[in-house]
Amino acid sequence: DTEVTQTPKHLVMGMTNKKSLKCEQHMGHRAMYWYKQKAKKPPELMFVYSYEKLSINESVPSRFSPECPNSSLLNLHLHALQPEDSALYLCASSHPGEGAYTGELFFGEGSRLTVL
Amino acid sequence: GNSVTQMEGPVTLSEEAFLTINCTYTATGYPSLFWYVQYPGEGLQLLLKATKADDKGSNKGFEATYRKETTSFHLEKGSVQVSDSAVYFCALVPNTDKLIFGTGTRLQVFP
């Protein structure tokens, strides 16, 4: 059983829609991450929150907007996406290490997004 | 720069065969090394890790040894099962920097 829960598991949206992906963890982790994974590729880092503050934005387009309402929740707000944004979006959490990473991440099962 | 190189897949094996998936790295300083596994339709799971030279990480019958002299962290298992079929990612964390993944190696195990 994964301890990082992501909803929804599947999402189909048009290019003019606004939607959100949600992530929740109850392991007491204070670092949370969004990754994007295209088919047959490794995950690509998008954002890192450390102690509820955005610490890393990997030059992600502004049509992706992250939010960390509290230490257990992480959202990714989606607006005006393009078909090439279709991918598996993975949330992860960890204890913050030196810098932003320890490398020991706990991943959710992902939200598979299709943009029409 | 920092990078991870994995062998191309897919690796196709019969059940109970010996598995090796090669991983080499380039990094400044003394990185920590990891293997993650992604089963079909799931997120990634940390399989094992090693934080310093000559450390051996092990879990679920899988092992990998941190070899600084050859900058390698090869994944091995003595007897694979059909349930081990997945994509395996080698990864590293350089000093005070982000997790870097290799391209992944797909393992297919047939009965």
Side-chain angles (χ1 to χ4, degrees), chain A residues 1 13 17 21 26-27 34 36 40-41 43-45 47 51 58 61 69 75 77 80 87-89 91 97 100 110:
Chain A
D1 288 342
M13 59 186 293
N17 292 158
L21 305 181
H26 294 289
M27 293 178 281
W34 281 114
K36 173 182 177 180
K40 299 187 178 182
K41 296 291 186 183
E44 299 173 23
L45 182 65
F47 303 104
Y51 295 97
E58 291 286 301
N75 298 322
H77 302 298
L88 181 68
Y89 288 85
C91 174

Side-chain angles (χ1 to χ4, degrees), chain B residues 13-30:
Chain B
L13 294 173
S14 298
E15 205 165 26
E16 298 184 2
F18 185 87
L19 168 70
T20 300
I21 299 178
N22 290 338
C23 172
T24 57
Y25 67 89
T26 302
T28 54
Y30 301 93

Side-chain angles (χ1 to χ4, degrees), chain A residues 37 42 58 103-105 107-108, chain B residues 34 36 38 43-44 49 98 102:
Chain A
Q37 186 179 28
E58 291 286 301
E104 296 185 46
L105 272 57
F107 283 85
Chain B
F34 305 84
Y36 278 83
Q38 187 172 28
L44 280 72
K49 67 172 186 176
K98 62 184 179 185

